Amino acid sequence: MTVNGERHEADVEPRTTLVDFLRGTLGLTGTHVGCEHGVCGACTVLWNGKAVRSCIMLAVQADGAELKTVEGLADGPTLHPIQRAFLEKHGLQCGFCTPGFMISVYELLSRTSTPTDEEITDTLGGHICRCTGYQSIVEAVHVAVEKMRTK
Amino acid sequence: MSERDTGIPTSVAELPNSEPRYVGRPIDRLEDPALLTGRTQFIDDLVLPRMLHCAILRSPHAHATIVSVDTSEAEKLPGVVAVVTGEDAKRWSNPVMTVPPGWGTHCLATDKARFVGEPVAAVAAVSRYVAEDALELIAVEYEPLPAVADARKALDVGSPLVFEQNGDNVMLRKLFTWGDVDGAFAGATHVVQREFRWNRLGANPLETFGVVSQWDELEGTLTCRGSFQAQHHFAMARAMVFNLPLNKVRFIAHPHGGSFGGKGGARGTDITALLSRKAGGRPVKWIEDRMEYLAGGASQAWDRHYDAAVALDAQGKVLGFRVRLLDDLGATAEGWGAVSAAKPLTSFTGCYAIPAAQYDLTIVATNKLPGSPYRGMGPPPHNWVLEQLMDLAARELALDPAEIRRRNFIPPDAFPYTIASGNEYDSGDYAAALETALAMADYPALRAEQARLRAEGRYLGIGLVNTIEPGVFDWNAYAIVGQPGTGVPEGATVGIDLFGKLTIKVGFALEGQGQYTVAAQVLADWFKVDIADVRVIALDTLAAPPHFGPGGSRLGVAITGAVLGAARRLTDKLVAVAAGLFRTTPEHVELRDGRIGVKGMPEASMPFQEVAQTMLARSDLLPPGVDPNPEATYVWTAPGRTPADDQGRAKSYLTAANACHLVLVEVDVETAQVHIRKYWIADDCGTRLNPANVEGQTQGGVAQGVGAALLEEAVYDEDGQLRTSTFMDYLLPTIYEVPMTEKRALCTPSPFTPLGAKGCGEGAMHTTPAAILCAINDALVPLGLELREVPASPQRLWTLLQQGKAARR
Ligand code: FES
Ligand code: FES
């Protein structure tokens, strides 16, 4: 598979989950585990361009796939506009849920540069943040939309 | 003693800087870039050489004698390195200390299991997968016992006993009377009395608890790395559990993914310590999974039955307030849940000048998960009871809910004000908060809209609630449940390096409130440097100055005090050196706008960095006898706290923040859905050190408050089986439930704290549940119904609505 543009090959036990593979085998620990049963969204990664929950996928299902994780968002030390927007709008507190949120927002903004409020709500609706509430996160998405447009 | 005596500024104007750039402004957080790029090292990200992974076998029974545990097959599985059971726990450790005392167990069940999810055995293996495989090979023979899962039944004679040797299930029973309560009730024109039920819910940070423990037999030391909220506190407890001197126990807290009171993880820490010992000192990692967290972690708090009453005169003045509380702490007192029953003393009578009050408290044990602290600790359910009674009283007297509150507020000129239960409030203007909220919402228009829609058969409700958020906790607030001690230290070390940059060393890891940023803001403004020139780092329990970390809405104020105190001390050292350089005496030298120089002679001054460099590199220039280390430590503790008297009265929490929440809900009487239509907040927590942080605490508190009011509930059946063991059945609020809010900030600075800030970290959790529940009951008035059980789940509300329909037929 390719992760953030880098090719990886490995033998895995069939039961290995995708998130365990990313975190444990590849050492890409930016993707987090909050529930391990598909509810919280903390483990969201991009799988062939689609946001998926890596805790309820097996690593073998990503054979040959193209993945993107939070580590693939920034360009060196330069934050991605979505990351900048979360920082500026205080869209995070403990930051544990944040990689998952940003990956879903990334997917949304790669589909459309003018998301409706409903699309934004539905994108965030699959994620749980226990610290921040959702108001600053919504504001961060609006700022991200602006930044991506003027980029 | 006040801050003034310590040289710690009580207002921003007192900083030695004519143009502070950071304090009081919404500053971008220093902690964010690492979090946003996935580089922050949470505990599960840590890998150590030869590290093993732990999995824990848990009791499926709520109450059962453990006849035997056979681990021989598990030990044979390739990859398994160590297995521990209650026998190992008995051999190598003590039961954990508890509050109240005498209700603790070992980290693994020994004679019997007392709740579903209690650890019985554990495995350390080369991977978590193998460790979990091994659990299936452990054979435990149980003899099930009758269980008790209901607090009232636990009081019955003949109830199953959680701890037989204690004789009954009562952990604590006490009656506190403050003032002439009997007289108040006897002389009242109105008495409003009701029973209320608050069901269990809890912290649920998105990251569960995790720990890596390492036992060194040769040195007799224990090192634990983990997502500890209060690392020093837990190190002390481990020293006692394992009979180790405290300096042989080293705790290293990692940043954690939220905590909200629940990141202690005593059992997990002790189990991994035992496993590491048995595995010859290899480090052992345990990351609690979500189902373990829900069944056996720090996930549950506030399991309460209330019987409460207010006595009023004809004008609606509250003369007396009585609360009888039956608090179900679950199987043991190990989770510090009892402090939640004690904390209401800090704000027992809320925002109101109620002269007499009574608290009749019973804490019982049942066969359920031990209770733990949760954001706000005791006041959130207590506030709901008090505020709901105020609403009911207003209805009885035909007063508007706003009006009855106005008539009872502690007036702004009465501060500092000591409430009946003994705590002192620092400052406030409650009427101003109320009027602000009413104006923001255009309250008369809301009431008109409510009446209009009511005529159409739609049920809108308005909740209007004022609360105190007690801030800056002190142990004395929990004296009534047996918690020893007065005072909580928070230290910081501030130093200047040879290149003139500043470092702050603290004893707590990040968990989301942004306190490193606050510390850096304060120091940057003290020395007038760019905030980028300040770095904040966390030290472990053996290296850091005395500390406690976050808890009790305390750390923002405490770390500000610690950093300013250390900056003051460091400045004194620089002044002593500079006085020598300028050939004058220290009283003529000062720090002003980042330069140290002779007072009134701007030309005789140098940047503070140069003085520090002189200390580090030019011993030939130093006056004799000075300390050449440009570093200083200060340990801050809340001034003026007092020991509790026999009725539990003490000056305990240092600050009293205040908020008024106004919420408009609509209850759909067909589906029993509650829809929050609008939400307004007027909030006063004194000086806002970083307004963005305060805003975050408020929003997060609203979200958790919505969960508490409408969704979250840990459900047990009568045999003590947990019915909510995943996030499919334990429901957390999402963006679909949490409203956007409109807020306004008020400020009555605290006269007692550094820079006038008040604790605000527990935030809206104090207010939101009460506001929403009062609003629901306001909506139900025309139906003649009252919901007095939390959460107001659709199921519960639907049942009530059906009962109402049946009664009206
Ligand atoms: S960890 Fe995958 S959805 Fe929660
Ligand atoms: S920032 Fe902590 S869970 Fe979202």
Side-chain angles (χ1 to χ4, degrees):
Chain A
M1 66 176 84
T2 311
V3 186
N4 303 325
E6 220 179 277
R7 265 190 70 80
H8 294 277
E9 245 168 84
D11 291 324
V12 294
E13 270 193 77
R15 62 174 172 171
T16 309
T17 62
L18 179 55
V19 70
D20 281 354
F21 179 75
L22 289 170
R23 293 178 49 82
T25 310
L26 302 188
L28 291 168
T29 53
T31 304
H32 297 145
V33 174
C35 70
E36 264 186 302
H37 50 256
V39 180
C40 74
C43 64
T44 304
V45 299
L46 227 53
W47 178 81
N48 292 333
K50 271 180 58 180
V52 298
R53 286 162 198 243
S54 58
C55 71
I56 46 171
M57 272 185 75
L58 296 171
V60 291
Q61 287 174 280
D63 188 16
E66 196 108 16
L67 300 181
K68 195 186 210 34
T69 66
V70 65
E71 286 92 345
L73 286 183
D75 181 6
T78 311
L79 296 183
H80 187 275
I82 296 174
Q83 292 169 313
R84 261 307 327 151
F86 270 74
L87 187 142
E88 284 168 21
K89 296 315 283 185
H90 296 269
L92 69 158
Q93 285 183 30
C94 78
F96 197 76
C97 68
T98 316
F101 270 97
M102 291 191 304
I103 292 287
S104 283
V105 171
Y106 182 93
E107 186 212 32
L108 173 72
L109 298 189
S110 50
R111 254 190 292 123
T112 166
S113 58
T114 52
T116 63
D117 284 353
E118 206 187 331
E119 283 173 311
I120 292 174
T121 304
D122 285 344
T123 298
L124 305 182
H127 291 262
I128 290 170
C129 173
R130 190 59 162 166
C131 302
T132 314
Y134 301 97
Q135 196 156 346
S136 327
I137 297 177
V138 174
E139 284 167 19
V141 177
H142 286 296
V143 170
V145 169
E146 238 2 84
K147 284 186 190 290
M148 304 270 287
R149 197 177 296 145
T150 56
K151 192 176 66 167
Chain B
M1 189 178 75
S2 84
E3 294 302 352
R4 234 165 273 280
D5 309 317
T6 61
I8 294 176
T10 54
S11 77
V12 180
E14 291 167 40
L15 290 169
N17 178 348
S18 38
E19 293 160 354
R21 286 159 63 197
Y22 299 107
V23 174
R25 310 250 161 86
I27 302 301
D28 285 352
R29 302 193 322 166
L30 307 179
E31 36 277 83
D32 285 354
L35 290 167
L36 286 161
T37 49
R39 284 184 298 115
T40 299
Q41 203 180 39
F42 294 101
I43 187 62
D44 191 27
D45 305 342
L46 177 74
V47 178
L48 293 178
R50 285 168 54 78
M51 185 173 79
L52 299 170
H53 299 262
C54 157
I56 298 173
L57 186 71
R58 292 165 183 280
S59 169
H61 300 285
H63 202 190
T65 306
I66 296 172
V67 182
S68 64
V69 185
D70 180 358
T71 59
S72 52
E73 289 304 309
E75 278 159 37
K76 285 186 219 145
L77 186 73
V80 170
V81 179
V83 183
V84 289
T85 67
E87 289 306 309
D88 301 287
K90 270 198 277 192
R91 184 161 67 244
W92 283 329
S93 68
N94 301 317
V96 74
M97 287 222 331
T98 61
V99 175
W103 295 85
T105 60
H106 287 88
C107 60
L108 291 156
T110 52
D111 52 336
K112 65 173 186 172
R114 291 182 170 83
F115 62 94
V116 168
E118 179 165 12
V120 173
V123 175
V126 292
S127 79
R128 175 73 180 242
Y129 287 71
V130 174
E132 288 188 13
D133 289 346
L135 293 187
E136 298 187 6
L137 301 175
I138 298 176
V140 185
E141 194 186 329
Y142 296 98
E143 222 163 68
L145 298 166
V148 60
D150 179 303
R152 283 167 305 191
K153 289 191 187 143
L155 292 173
D156 291 348
V157 184
S159 159
L161 296 182
V162 183
F163 286 76
E164 288 88 9
Q165 66 272 28
N166 290 0
D168 62 21
N169 289 319
V170 177
M171 287 184 175
L172 186 107
R173 182 174 272 154
K174 278 187 178 163
L175 175 69
F176 303 97
T177 304
W178 306 300
D180 180 12
V181 183
D182 289 343
F185 275 82
T189 44
H190 303 271
V191 171
V192 179
Q193 183 263 327
R194 292 289 192 281
E195 290 184 5
F196 301 93
R197 170 87 174 107
W198 183 294
N199 290 286
R200 283 183 166 221
L201 47 58
N204 273 288
L206 206 59
E207 179 207 44
T208 55
F209 179 73
V211 63
V212 180
S213 298
Q214 187 162 18
W215 193 287
D216 188 322
E217 284 268 36
L218 209 58
E219 296 191 334
T221 59
L222 173 66
T223 304
C224 298
R225 299 168 162 88
S227 51
F228 307 109
Q229 181 177 335
Q231 58 175 5
H232 193 72
H233 199 64
F234 284 93
M236 284 193 289
R238 306 293 64 79
M240 289 192 266
V241 163
F242 293 115
N243 294 323
L244 290 171
L246 188 49
N247 66 359
K248 301 254 164 147
V249 177
R250 182 164 169 238
F251 266 50
I252 304 168
H254 276 239
H256 26 302
S259 176
F260 317 113
K263 286 253 165 93
R267 280 180 190 251
T269 306
D270 294 348
I271 291 169
T272 47
L274 292 177
L275 280 168
S276 173
R277 184 170 188 171
K278 217 169 175 179
R282 289 176 71 171
V284 177
K285 178 195 263 189
W286 175 61
I287 304 297
E288 182 181 50
D289 75 24
R290 184 58 59 179
M291 284 159 75
E292 291 185 289
Y293 177 76
L294 288 166
S299 60
Q300 298 177 16
W302 313 339
D303 189 343
R304 298 185 163 185
H305 300 263
Y306 284 97
D307 182 352
V310 282
L312 305 105
D313 69 12
Q315 280 70 49
K317 264 264 350 120
V318 183
L319 308 170
F321 177 36
R322 267 190 180 137
V323 177
R324 203 163 81 209
L325 170 62
L326 176 61
D327 195 9
D328 180 349
L329 218 55
T332 81
E334 70 189 36
W336 303 87
V339 300
S340 294
K343 188 174 165 189
L345 266 62
T346 62
S347 51
F348 202 82
T349 44
C351 298
Y352 311 115
I354 304 176
Q358 190 174 65
Y359 193 31
D360 182 353
L361 172 64
T362 305
I363 303 179
V364 298
T366 60
N367 293 113
K368 295 192 286 194
L369 176 64
S372 288
Y374 179 32
R375 195 175 197 172
M377 301 284 249
H382 181 89
N383 290 343
W384 165 56
V385 168
L386 174 58
E387 291 294 311
Q388 188 66 69
L389 286 173
M390 293 300 280
D391 272 10
L392 290 163
R395 255 166 243 151
E396 165 133 355
L397 276 80
L399 288 173
D400 189 275
E403 182 53 28
I404 195 166
R405 288 173 168 84
R406 276 186 203 109
R407 291 185 190 182
N408 284 287
F409 282 144
I410 298 163
D413 58 4
F415 294 96
Y417 181 88
T418 301
I419 58 172
S421 51
N423 190 28
E424 180 188 68
Y425 293 172
D426 52 349
S427 62
D429 188 342
Y430 307 148
L434 174 77
E435 301 308 333
T436 303
L438 295 176
M440 249 195 295
D442 193 353
Y443 185 63
L446 276 194
R447 285 283 176 209
E449 156 118 327
Q450 181 185 36
R452 189 174 61 75
L453 290 175
R454 218 171 249 185
E456 291 175 15
R458 288 173 61 188
Y459 295 89
L460 267 64
I462 299 168
L464 173 60
V465 160
N466 323 268
T467 56
I468 297 301
E469 176 180 355
V472 194
F473 99 91
D474 192 285
W475 290 123
N476 64 357
Y478 314 141
I480 66 163
V481 293
Q483 173 67 51
T486 295
V488 188
E490 196 65 46
T493 298
V494 169
I496 308 165
D497 62 36
L498 193 55
F499 305 115
K501 302 298 187 213
L502 296 155
T503 304
I504 305 174
K505 298 171 191 167
V506 299
F508 61 91
L510 292 169
E511 62 179 44
Q513 301 98 324
Q515 279 118 350
Y516 287 11
T517 305
V518 169
Q521 281 175 270
V522 167
L523 193 65
D525 274 346
W526 180 277
F527 282 111
K528 198 171 190 170
V529 296
D530 201 279
I531 197 166
D533 290 340
V534 183
R535 179 148 190 226
V536 186
I537 60 162
L539 301 181
D540 65 70
T541 50
L542 293 183
H547 57 276
F548 181 83
S553 284
R554 172 183 160 279
L555 190 55
V557 170
I559 197 63
T560 300
V563 168
L564 289 174
R568 166 87 268 153
R569 282 199 176 147
L570 175 55
T571 303
D572 289 347
K573 283 192 182 186
L574 298 170
V575 161
V577 171
L581 299 178
F582 291 120
R583 302 196 190 294
T584 179
T585 49
E587 59 277 15
H588 293 110
V589 175
E590 67 176 354
L591 168 74
R592 190 79 207 151
D593 291 334
R595 297 180 72 85
I596 305 242
V598 181
K599 289 178 189 167
M601 293 176 62
E603 64 291 353
S605 74
M606 58 169 83
F608 75 89
Q609 292 96 333
E610 263 177 48
V611 183
Q613 283 156 349
T614 306
M615 292 162 85
L616 289 167
R618 290 300 303 273
S619 59
D620 57 322
L621 298 179
L622 293 181
V626 301
D627 171 1
N629 181 13
E631 183 177 90
T633 298
Y634 188 84
V635 179
W636 187 89
T637 190
R641 303 308 88 192
T642 55
D645 69 10
D646 63 343
Q647 290 296 301
R649 282 177 293 227
K651 275 169 71 171
S652 54
Y653 277 55
L654 184 65
T655 66
N658 161 241
C660 179
H661 288 206
L662 207 165
V663 56
L664 179 70
V665 306
E666 180 164 3
V667 176
D668 183 328
V669 292
E670 298 306 322
T671 63
Q673 285 278 345
V674 175
H675 175 54
I676 301 171
R677 295 179 35 147
K678 286 197 178 134
Y679 207 114
W680 298 269
I681 298 174
D683 184 87
D684 177 1
C685 57
T687 307
R688 291 164 186 253
L689 300 167
N690 183 350
N693 282 358
V694 178
E695 167 80 17
Q697 294 307 307
T698 310
Q699 282 182 20
V702 168
Q704 294 189 344
V706 169
L710 302 177
L711 301 169
E712 294 181 41
E713 181 175 1
V715 182
Y716 283 88
D717 70 13
E718 43 187 60
D719 299 324
Q721 282 293 336
L722 180 68
R723 291 293 172 83
T724 46
S725 56
T726 70
F727 276 172
M728 308 280 188
D729 2 66
Y730 185 94
L731 302 178
L732 292 180
T734 69
I735 193 172
Y736 295 114
E737 290 83 35
V738 180
M740 302 292 130
T741 57
E742 193 184 323
K743 302 182 200 70
R744 200 130 323 148
L746 288 81
C747 179
T748 56
S750 173
F752 301 144
T753 64
L755 307 182
K758 299 184 185 182
C760 65
E762 287 159 325
M765 192 62 195
H766 284 86
T767 326
T768 300
I772 294 173
L773 295 160
C774 284
I776 292 170
N777 278 329
D778 186 55
L780 298 179
V781 167
L783 298 171
L785 299 173
E786 282 176 19
L787 185 75
R788 292 198 301 273
E789 186 163 357
V790 172
S793 60
Q795 165 73 26
R796 191 161 282 135
L797 201 48
W798 193 81
T799 309
L800 181 75
L801 290 164
Q802 294 310 305
Q803 283 164 1
K805 264 192 199 156
R808 278 194 304 279
R809 265 204 289 273

